[in-house]
Amino acid sequence: MTAHPGRYPSTRLRRTRQHAWLRSMVAETALAPADLVWPLFVHEHEASHPVASMPGVERLSVDGIVKAAADAAALGIPAIALFPVVEAGHKSDDARHALDPDNLVCRAVRAVKKETGDALGIICDVALDPYTTHGHDGLLREGCILNDETVAVLVKQAAALAEAGCHVVAPSDMMDGRVGAIRAALDAAGRQDVCILSYAAKYASAFYGPFRDAVGSHAALATAASLGVADKKTYQMDPANTAEALREVALDLAEGADMVMVKPAGTALDVIWRVKEAFGVPTLAYQVSGEYAMIQAAAANGWLDGPKAALESLLVMKRAGADCILTYFAPEIARALR
Ligand code: PBG
C-alpha cells in the first residue's frame, strides 16, 4: 500500500474524525463477540470461589460452568476454554490424573457438551501443570523437564479430552514435537475432527502469575524451586525473541496445527502481526491473567476507566492481526458490544 499523496491544507485528516458516525465509517478494525473466547476455571466445590488476584473471576463448579457456557452462547461468544483446579490429592509426579476419563475437566466437558452440543466450542488445555506436584507442564527428572517422555503423556491427555467431547485441544506445554504426536494419535482414534490450537509462541512470562494463583500451581512451583527448576524458561520462549516465534509457528503448522496462539498478547503485538503476515493462518492471542489483573487493579483504584481500557486493549490485538482473543473480559465486553 502506498502512502496517500495528499497535502495540508487540502487534506486534513481531522475531517474524518469529527463525528461518531464518520469515525465508525472509516474504522479499520472492529471488535465483535465472535472474536472472543472465555477462559473459565472449574473446581470440585459447589460454591464459587473468587480469585483474589483476578477481581471478577471465580472458580466455578461443574454446574456453574454449564451455566457460564449457556451465557457465553447467548452472548455470541463462540467458545470457552476450560482450566481445572486440581485437588492436591490428585497431583503426582507423573501427572497420571490427567489421563483419567472421569477427572474434573473431562466431567465438565461432558456436562457442557450435553447442554450446548456443537453450538459452543469447548477448548481444553493440554499440559501437565494442573496435575504435577511440582507445577511444571512436563515431567521432571533430576532438574530437567523431559521432552519426549512428556509428549507421550500429553498424547494420552489429549485423547482423554477428545473422548470426553471437547472440540479443540490446545497444547500449552511448549514441548517440541507434541503437535504432530497429538494429531497422529487423534487421527488413529478416529478423531480427525478434533482441532488443534497450538500455543506456538508462548513466552516465559511474569504475567501468568494470577492464573497460577487461580489453579494453585504457584504453590506447586514453589516446591519445584527446591528441585532446581523454579521457572519455565527451559520450555517457554524468551521474550527477547521473535524470529524464534516464527520458527515455532512453522513447525507446529507442519505438524498439523489448525490454529496458532501467541501469548501473552499485550506484550507481543509485534509477534501477532508477524505471525499473521508470514503465515496467514488462524492466529489467536491470549490476553493473560496478569494483563487482566493490571486493568482491573488500576480500575479498582479509580486510576483508569476499566471497561474502556479493556475494550481498547482487545481492539489493538485485533488490529495487530489476531483473529480471536482469549480474554477474561469476554462476557463483559460481549455484553458491552451488543
Ligand atoms: C499452563 C497455562 C498457563 C496459562 C495457560 N495455560 C500458565 C503457565 O504456563 O504457567 C496462563 C494463562 C493466564 O495467565 O491467563 N500450561
Side-chain angles (χ1 to χ4, degrees):
M1 195 164 51
T2 48
H4 191 280
R7 284 221 201 302
Y8 172 83
S10 58
T11 296
R12 291 173 183 266
L13 291 181
R14 287 190 56 195
R15 205 175 275 135
T16 52
R17 294 178 200 144
Q18 290 181 83
H19 309 293
W21 62 266
L22 196 44
R23 289 190 292 274
S24 80
M25 273 179 72
V26 300
E28 298 169 40
T29 310
L31 191 68
D35 300 322
L36 309 172
V37 168
W38 188 10
L40 292 165
F41 298 110
V42 59
H43 70 171
E44 294 281 7
H45 308 274
E46 266 321 302
S48 55
H49 286 177
V51 180
S53 52
M54 300 176 74
V57 172
E58 302 199 317
R59 304 169 187 91
L60 303 170
S61 65
V62 171
D63 288 347
I65 294 289
V66 171
K67 210 193 139 292
D71 291 346
L75 285 166
I77 292 170
I80 56 169
L82 288 177
F83 295 97
V85 182
V86 174
E87 301 285 300
H90 285 314
K91 295 184 192 248
S92 60
D93 286 349
D94 60 2
R96 75 185 86 91
H97 194 60
L99 317 183
D100 185 335
D102 286 319
N103 69 21
L104 178 60
V105 73
C106 288
R107 278 183 278 126
V109 168
R110 281 196 294 270
V112 172
K113 191 80 181 275
K114 195 165 156 236
E115 214 55 34
T116 47
D118 294 328
L120 178 81
I122 306 170
I123 303 173
C124 288
D125 227 45
V126 177
L128 304 184
D129 55 302
Y131 304 99
T132 51
T133 35
H134 44 71
H136 277 291
D137 295 30
L139 303 175
L140 175 64
R141 192 190 304 142
E142 290 162 17
C144 285
I145 304 299
L146 307 173
N147 193 88
D148 299 9
E149 290 85 340
T150 298
V151 171
V153 183
L154 295 173
V155 161
K156 293 183 194 153
Q157 179 185 26
L161 293 166
E163 211 52 49
C166 87
H167 301 94
V168 180
V169 291
S172 71
D173 55 286
M174 290 298 281
M175 297 302 121
D176 288 319
R178 87 286 204 216
V179 171
I182 291 170
R183 183 73 272 161
L186 291 174
D187 289 355
R191 296 278 172 197
Q192 290 88 351
D193 294 343
V194 172
C195 294
I196 298 180
L197 161 60
S198 130
Y199 285 72
K202 177 173 177 180
Y203 289 95
S205 173
F207 292 96
Y208 306 150
F211 175 96
R212 292 177 190 169
D213 284 339
V215 300
S217 62
H218 237 321
L221 273 171
T223 68
S226 66
L227 300 169
V229 232
D231 58 48
K232 301 192 176 184
K233 289 181 183 170
T234 68
Y235 46 106
Q236 297 180 347
M237 278 184 53
D238 184 344
N241 300 348
T242 4
E244 188 186 358
L246 300 181
R247 295 180 72 197
E248 281 283 2
V249 170
L251 279 169
D252 287 0
L253 290 172
E255 289 177 29
D258 302 287
M259 303 176 263
V260 294
M261 179 102 81
V262 176
K263 171 186 177 188
T267 52
L269 296 176
D270 57 327
V271 180
I272 297 170
W273 174 256
R274 288 188 63 186
V275 166
K276 191 65 192 180
E277 284 276 295
F279 300 98
V281 297
T283 304
L284 278 70
Y286 199 145
Q287 180 179 54
V288 300
S289 57
E291 300 176 77
Y292 173 87
M294 283 195 297
I295 292 175
Q296 293 296 64
N301 276 293
W303 295 338
L304 52 71
D305 181 324
K308 282 188 182 151
L311 195 65
E312 182 179 330
S313 67
L314 296 165
L315 184 69
V316 302
M317 287 165 196
K318 267 211 87 183
R319 190 189 67 205
D323 295 299
C324 195
I325 305 155
L326 278 81
T327 174
Y328 302 95
F329 288 116
E332 153 181 358
I333 293 292
R335 234 169 258 123
L337 291 172
R338 278 153 80 85

